[in-house]
Amino acid sequence: MLTPVHLQYVSSQLSWTLTSDKEQITQASYQVQFSCSDTFDKLLWDSQTVSDMSSVCVPYGGPPLPPGEEICWRVRVIDNAGEESGWSETAQFINGLAPGDWQARFITPDTDEDAAQSAGKLLRRTFSLDGEVARAIVYVTALGLYELHINGVRVGEDLLTPGWTEYNKRLLHQSYDVTPLLRKGDNAVGAMLGAGWYKGDLAGWIGRRNIYGRHTALLMQMTVRLTDGREVCVFSDADWRCSDGPVLYAELYHGESYDARLARAGWNTADYDDVGWTPVRVMEHTTDTVTPQDGPTVRRQEVLPVQSLICTPAGENVLDFGQNIAGWVRFRVNGQAGQRVVLRHAEVLDRDGLFYTANMRSARNEIVYTLKGDGEEVFEPHFTFQGFRYVQVVEFPQTIEPEQFEAVVIHSAMERTGWFSCSDERLNQLHHNILWGLKGNFVDVCTDCPQRDERLGWTGDAQVFARTATYLMDTRIFFQKWLRDLRAAQYENGGVPFVVPDVLSGQFPPGDVISNADPVTGWGDAAVINPWTVYVAYGDKGLLAECYESMKAWVEYIRTLATDGLLWNTGFQLGDWVALDAKEGSYYGATATDLIATAYYAHVTRLLSRAAHVLGNEEDASHYAALRTDIGAAYADEFFSRTGRLVSPTQTAHILSLAFDLTPEAFKPRIVKDLLSLLDASNGHLTTGFLGTPYFCQVLADNGCLREAYELLLKDDYPSWLYQITKGATTVWEHWDGIKPDGSMWSADMNSFNHYAYGSVGEFLYRVIAGIDTDPEQVGYRKLVIRPRPGGGLTHASAAVMTPYGRAESSWRIDGSEHFRLNVTVPHNTTAAVTLPDGAQHVVGSGRYDFTCTLSH
Ligand code: BGC
């Protein structure tokens, strides 16, 4: 049976996948229908039958969709054997409001003094409906964070809404169908507001707060259609009333203090008596920046039980959840009014087994709950989250029972798309840690870390991890949202800030490790690398087109900085950040920064040229191809001796020269040999930082050194990826020596145990070990490349990737010493080019296949 499933509408592009019990299936034609009703009696658009294979990122071709409406769409297809599918299940989404559609006003419960406070405030109003409700949709956002309630029920499952964007230019609103929550007669709507990213503490080490504004505010508009056809609108306006509530204090970094005795029972229902509540203040604030949610929202994803209850040598009671996460603790407690629960959070215990929080810097990560004392009370915080594995129970009114606590894992709601396993458990743990690095750091914005007073969208980290992220989860719209913020934050001259959203520009105090300098290589390059990576992994040409001018502006900006427009040897650089070849106590790796900067400049110029070609802009394509050639020639002149020695004798210099195709052909053997010598000189260990590490194994594998790539990957003594695993890591560390071999720690001023940058090696597990990739010309896995490269003594490895076309699998096993067996699954509407380790090649259509060959040693 042929069925289109998994319908996705993203920014006027449609995707679906085909399921069928047959093999060798391609799509011959499709038909798409859009309507405002699930009966499809009145159509907004009917594509009619289109003879075309496209099933991924198909442009929507109808008239603009009506704002604010619930949109239904469906698709049916005919395959290459002539089989017709029925209509797919109907997919639905709410098309958010356009800026001009807002009649609601921003309303604030805050007084002037509240700018310095971080309490949660309550707002409410009642309204009456004199008819049965046919349909109700609410559109809502806030300055700060909000939780919306209707008639006593929390609306939706989204957390930390409206999320974090470049607020001055883009504030997202969410839309919910709330039909079941309303009723004929009296109704109430209530909201709780918190400080969040908008006005709370950010970039704690430079002590910023009120970055976007001094007061929290709500913007809400609800359209209720009654069964008799009348429409009622409820807005945030001067008729609302407000009050303090039980959230005494909530800050993203510092935690939450909640006094349950101050909870206003029934505050979000119509019967509640709000005497004593005061009128809200209508706030002048534009709605021009308010735009519909365009990324995944943050949600509760998993719940983890306590693994063990530890009493440390200092007598601290510590819960171990067995996994470093981002989220919070939910607990149940019984006690008397006024008694307290106090929790602190940590990622690791120190070498003496003590609770260790020094690396959180100023982030307090503390939960204080005061009981109201009437039976069992259940609590989880509202406007904060923590990065932790261990929780110290500082105060608790009862004997601590592990069952009373659970860890709630939160992150942006994305579907998992990558699975990997092999015969080496340490590598499986590494994969696990990389995946959890993503989970812990894709909390609305791709952050460096989720625990200390930082948690910022560092562009360099996001850039090096992007391809790995696209293997692990469906990050397409996550990056869409973040790239829109990147573009909003981009300076007029094309420069890209260190972090997006940008809360750092011009903020570094004198003497800070980072100067107030212009944008830097490896970080600003996210403007080009991330949209390109999304295009490669998902075939999203729409996003590439959206980002094109921004990509170009970044390259043009570098051109103005570069000497003769070719060698970027000016200004401050972060370089090969935290590489081990740095001077004692320094963060800056030893690789010459002009070499790194020029290498990246060449790399992104090539990607820009390719993007121009994909978008049909051949003039730019050849212009930037020529520029790339010139940069390459200048690079060779400047950084290679006449006989092919690289001026910067570091691993990273050699890696980048090979990875970005900057090594003249004649010098390649020498550069590869020199890289191996450098590796030898450090006893087979890496000394690379953020910019060299991601490409290390890949470069070795692609240059005839597969054995050495595996040796490097499988090292488990310090420093190496697996060293962390021998130290019990459950996520990827910021530093190779976060915990040193003697058990002491790297300096607490910068020592995160959940930093995904070095997890960028995940790509190697999928692309080289299991051998799954997209064809570079037929991106988004339109054509698959299956090319496993076994080694490292592994006896089997398998990976599955949920591509935009469906599930692709590559699974191999070595029987005896040399019999190699490969099982491959190719999704419908694609083909795969399979290359076996003996060099044999096969091109196959959708289906499951077994291949065998003999391995030569
Ligand atoms: C962050 C890094 C970031 C770096 C750049 C650090 O504080 O945690 O991941 O890329 O600064 O300077």
Side-chain angles (χ1 to χ4, degrees):
M1 220 184 56
L2 177 70
T3 318
V5 296
H6 203 259
L7 277 63
Q8 252 191 324
Y9 173 91
V10 176
S11 299
S12 301
Q13 295 181 102
L14 316 173
S15 303
W16 56 89
T17 57
L18 305 183
T19 58
S20 166
D21 43 13
K22 292 185 293 193
E23 298 202 335
Q24 313 287 336
I25 291 300
T26 53
Q27 177 184 291
S29 66
Y30 69 85
Q31 181 184 9
V32 168
Q33 289 185 337
F34 272 66
S35 172
C36 276
S37 96
D38 56 10
T39 56
F40 288 85
D41 44 1
K42 260 177 61 195
L43 294 182
L44 291 163
W45 182 51
D46 187 337
S47 71
Q48 307 295 346
T49 302
V50 183
S51 299
D52 190 73
M53 289 182 73
S54 311
S55 57
V56 170
C57 298
V58 178
Y60 167 78
L65 296 172
E69 290 295 330
E70 209 148 1
I71 310 290
C72 302
W73 72 282
R74 60 185 181 179
V75 59
R76 64 180 173 191
V77 300
I78 302 177
D79 69 19
N80 51 331
E83 182 174 343
E84 297 180 25
S85 77
W87 284 112
S88 66
E89 279 188 20
T90 298
Q92 272 174 308
F93 62 93
I94 300 173
N95 195 31
L97 291 186
D101 298 328
W102 289 96
Q103 290 161 269
R105 309 287 304 274
F106 279 94
I107 53 173
T108 180
D110 284 1
T111 60
D112 255 5
E113 297 80 68
D114 285 323
Q117 313 288 328
S118 303
K121 296 284 184 103
L122 304 176
L123 299 85
R124 62 175 257 119
R125 75 155 294 161
T126 53
F127 58 96
S128 173
L129 297 172
D130 63 353
E132 296 298 335
V133 177
R135 177 136 74 184
I137 300 179
V138 66
Y139 317 92
V140 56
T141 188
L143 307 177
L145 300 175
Y146 76 84
E147 280 184 13
L148 188 71
H149 298 243
I150 291 179
N151 293 329
V153 178
R154 168 95 187 265
V155 174
E157 290 167 22
D158 300 328
L159 305 169
L160 304 174
T161 44
W164 189 16
T165 47
E166 194 67 25
Y167 288 138
N168 295 329
K169 308 229 174 98
R170 268 165 45 80
L171 173 63
L172 301 184
H173 78 264
Q174 290 72 46
S175 308
Y176 302 96
D177 185 334
V178 290
T179 313
L181 300 184
L182 294 175
R183 52 179 172 245
K184 185 175 175 187
D186 292 336
N187 291 273
V189 53
M192 177 151 67
L193 297 181
W197 297 281
Y198 183 82
K199 79 158 200 187
D201 291 352
L202 270 183
W205 79 104
I206 48 178
R208 298 205 68 196
R209 112 171 242 108
N210 299 127
I211 292 182
Y212 301 97
R214 296 161 55 80
H215 302 297
T216 56
L218 176 76
L219 180 74
M220 190 220 80
Q221 186 157 320
M222 181 158 49
T223 313
V224 187
R225 208 166 292 156
L226 301 176
T227 44
D228 59 16
R230 281 176 303 146
E231 212 170 78
V232 180
C233 290
V234 183
F235 305 127
S236 49
D237 60 18
D239 292 343
W240 289 55
R241 298 168 73 76
C242 61
S243 158
D244 291 338
V247 176
L248 302 177
Y249 175 86
E251 278 283 351
L252 290 164
Y253 295 156
H254 304 308
E256 190 162 304
S257 176
Y258 186 99
D259 189 339
R261 295 169 303 182
L262 303 177
R264 322 235 171 240
W267 69 280
N268 45 16
T269 60
D271 300 338
Y272 180 79
D273 181 1
D274 59 15
V275 284
W277 287 47
T278 53
V280 296
R281 190 161 53 82
V282 172
M283 200 164 123
E284 284 317 315
H285 190 284
T286 182
T287 53
D288 290 352
T289 47
V290 180
T291 175
Q293 177 74 32
D294 56 8
T297 47
V298 176
R299 294 196 172 184
R300 292 177 189 84
Q301 300 291 333
E302 290 169 61
V303 173
L304 307 179
V306 173
Q307 298 289 320
S308 62
L309 171 59
I310 301 167
C311 184
T312 72
E316 302 151 325
N317 291 311
V318 173
L319 308 168
D320 176 5
F321 287 98
Q323 176 62 52
N324 201 7
I325 67 160
W328 51 65
V329 173
R330 176 160 61 204
F331 59 82
R332 290 182 287 121
V333 62
N334 271 283
Q336 286 162 18
Q339 284 187 310
R340 303 201 315 168
V341 177
V342 178
L343 305 179
R344 295 168 68 222
H345 300 72
E347 291 183 286
V348 290
L349 303 181
D350 72 10
R351 69 172 145 188
D352 300 321
L354 301 176
F355 198 69
Y356 182 81
T357 57
N359 67 326
M360 302 290 185
R361 304 196 305 214
S362 73
R364 289 197 297 282
N365 290 308
E366 188 177 63
I367 299 293
V368 179
Y369 177 83
T370 307
L371 280 73
K372 61 177 183 286
D374 59 358
E376 183 172 273
E377 299 174 42
V378 180
F379 180 74
E380 52 186 309
H382 305 81
F383 301 124
T384 186
F385 69 92
Q386 284 75 49
F388 67 99
R389 166 176 169 170
Y390 298 96
V391 171
Q392 184 190 357
V393 184
V394 183
E395 288 181 41
F396 200 70
Q398 298 169 271
T399 317
I400 300 166
E401 298 292 346
E403 299 71 43
Q404 286 171 283
F405 302 85
E406 45 195 7
V408 178
V409 177
I410 66 161
H411 57 81
S412 292
M414 300 167 291
E415 263 178 55
R416 172 131 181 224
T417 54
W419 293 265
F420 172 89
S421 71
C422 70
S423 53
D424 190 326
E425 274 313 318
R426 299 168 308 166
L427 274 191
N428 296 341
Q429 182 69 38
L430 175 65
H431 178 266
H432 169 100
N433 294 6
I434 296 169
L435 177 67
W436 278 89
L438 186 157
K439 292 180 182 183
N441 283 298
F442 278 47
V443 180
D444 209 59
V445 163
C446 28
T447 55
D448 55 339
C449 56
Q451 74 298 78
R452 68 182 178 220
D453 56 355
E454 191 149 357
R455 314 185 194 181
L456 303 178
W458 284 95
T459 47
D461 308 41
Q463 173 275 108
V464 297
F465 190 63
R467 183 63 177 117
T468 294
T470 59
Y471 274 111
L472 296 170
M473 286 205 180
D474 184 353
T475 55
R476 178 177 162 211
I477 63 167
F478 181 91
F479 282 129
Q480 167 184 276
K481 165 184 175 284
W482 186 71
L483 284 166
R484 287 180 179 163
D485 290 305
L486 184 147
R487 274 153 36 215
Q490 193 166 12
Y491 309 144
E492 237 166 66
N493 64 9
V496 176
F498 293 129
V499 296
V500 171
D502 181 17
V503 291
L504 293 184
S505 284
Q507 294 302 327
F508 294 100
D512 196 277
V513 54
I514 294 171
S515 66
N516 270 315
D518 277 337
V520 298
T521 196
W523 273 254
D525 293 301
V528 176
I529 293 172
N530 287 60
W532 179 257
T533 304
V534 170
Y535 169 69
V536 167
Y538 305 111
D540 191 342
K541 209 162 147 178
L543 186 67
L544 194 66
E546 243 186 57
C547 291
Y548 184 73
E549 286 308 318
S550 146
M551 298 163 76
K552 185 169 163 177
W554 169 249
V555 169
E556 285 299 329
Y557 168 71
I558 303 173
R559 204 145 74 96
T560 64
L561 300 177
T563 302
D564 297 330
L566 299 175
L567 282 179
W568 188 2
N569 51 12
T570 54
F572 167 82
Q573 297 290 354
L574 292 166
D576 195 21
W577 186 246
V578 297
L580 286 172
D581 52 15
K583 288 198 190 108
E584 184 63 30
S586 164
Y587 301 101
Y588 304 98
T591 307
T593 55
D594 55 344
L595 179 147
I596 298 178
T598 306
Y600 260 97
Y601 176 31
H603 179 53
V604 295
T605 302
R606 173 169 286 175
L607 298 186
L608 179 64
S609 159
R610 287 192 188 151
H613 173 68
V614 168
L615 298 171
N617 184 344
E618 293 308 334
E619 195 180 322
D620 275 13
S622 53
H623 172 74
Y624 289 109
L627 177 60
R628 164 63 181 77
T629 305
D630 294 346
I631 301 168
Y635 183 94
D637 260 7
E638 178 78 7
F639 301 115
F640 287 98
S641 76
R642 234 173 1 93
T643 52
R645 179 204 289 265
L646 257 183
V647 296
S648 197
T650 66
Q651 294 177 354
T652 290
H654 290 72
I655 292 165
L656 294 183
S657 298
L658 290 164
F660 296 159
D661 192 20
L662 288 160
T663 307
E665 220 34 58
F667 297 163
K668 266 196 191 155
R670 173 173 184 169
I671 292 302
V672 173
K673 198 169 125 269
D674 288 356
L675 176 57
L676 293 180
S677 309
L678 287 162
L679 199 49
D680 253 8
S682 53
N683 253 329
H685 292 93
L686 41 68
T687 58
T688 50
F690 272 34
L691 300 187
T693 302
Y695 299 102
F696 207 158
C697 290
Q698 183 76 44
V699 152
L700 290 172
D702 289 348
N703 286 281
C705 304
L706 184 64
R707 185 171 53 82
E708 290 82 355
Y710 270 105
E711 279 169 11
L712 180 66
L713 179 68
L714 294 174
K715 282 251 157 342
D716 66 3
D717 55 341
Y718 169 78
S720 63
W721 283 284
L722 300 186
Y723 165 72
Q724 317 183 354
I725 282 155
T726 68
K727 289 283 179 190
T730 59
T731 41
V732 177
W733 298 352
E734 178 175 24
H735 293 275
W736 297 117
D737 48 358
I739 298 175
K740 298 182 184 185
D742 68 2
S744 64
M745 306 261 184
W746 216 84
S747 153
D749 68 357
M750 189 119 83
N751 198 15
S752 150
F753 294 97
N754 195 356
H755 237 72
Y756 53 55
Y758 291 150
S760 51
V761 72
E763 185 180 343
F764 183 84
L765 309 186
Y766 285 91
R767 176 186 281 161
V768 177
I769 300 183
I772 300 180
D773 199 359
T774 177
D775 182 291
E777 299 304 322
Q778 302 205 41
V779 296
Y781 303 89
R782 174 77 195 78
K783 184 169 177 190
L784 278 158
V785 173
I786 305 278
R787 187 187 165 207
R789 285 179 265 177
L794 300 183
T795 53
H796 72 83
S798 53
V801 176
M802 193 58 84
T803 75
Y805 294 88
R807 191 177 168 95
E809 282 179 39
S810 168
S811 173
W812 57 260
R813 182 168 290 284
I814 298 172
D815 297 334
S817 73
E818 49 192 35
H819 194 64
F820 181 85
R821 290 169 173 280
L822 173 67
N823 299 308
V824 170
T825 305
V826 181
H828 299 304
N829 212 25
T830 62
T831 51
V834 181
T835 306
L836 298 180
D838 67 355
Q841 297 193 343
H842 307 266
V843 174
V844 293
S846 69
R848 296 178 66 90
Y849 307 90
D850 295 334
F851 301 95
T852 56
C853 75
T854 307
L855 295 175
S856 55
H857 288 287

